[in-house]
Amino acid sequence: MAFIRLLDFALLTFLVWLVWSQVIRGWRAANAASGDHGHGAPPSQPRQPSATATAPEPVTLVRCSACGVHVPSGRTLPGPAGQIFCSDGCRARAGAHQTI
């Protein structure tokens, strides 16, 4: 009977340690995300996004007129007839094909 009580105590101790370690891990992750380098203390309040912060605009992908690769619209190169190219090489190849 004493062996069963000892086994119950060991199991209970393990479970308490497991829960406590997860709580500490959550506190550390919250502190690392908020930039607070405290000593493992829980954050006083969750960090709210500032009113001046704006959400990033979604990226629009467009297709290169020469090779068909999709590139972000901010990284495209314009062609002479309004085409869109992914690189100078594609733009040069398209220009060479048009002059023939």
Side-chain angles (χ1 to χ4, degrees):
M1 195 70 172
F3 178 73
I4 293 176
R5 285 188 177 198
L6 182 62
L7 195 58
D8 288 344
F9 178 75
L11 181 62
L12 180 65
T13 303
F14 173 74
L15 291 176
V16 167
W17 171 81
L18 188 65
V19 169
W20 183 251
S21 65
Q22 292 302 312
V23 168
I24 294 296
R25 185 178 298 179
W27 285 347
R28 287 181 180 162
N31 284 341
S34 69
D36 181 22
H37 299 293
H39 299 291
S44 58
Q45 292 179 2
R47 200 161 188 204
Q48 300 294 326
S50 65
T52 60
T54 59
E57 298 213 11
V59 176
T60 303
L61 296 178
V62 293
R63 190 177 196 133
C64 175
S65 298
C67 66
V69 172
H70 287 85
V71 293
S73 60
R75 299 187 68 193
T76 59
L77 300 173
Q83 306 103 322
I84 297 173
F85 297 105
C86 64
S87 66
D88 285 326
C90 282
R91 185 166 47 181
R93 278 192 302 258
H97 288 277
Q98 289 177 355
T99 59
I100 295 176

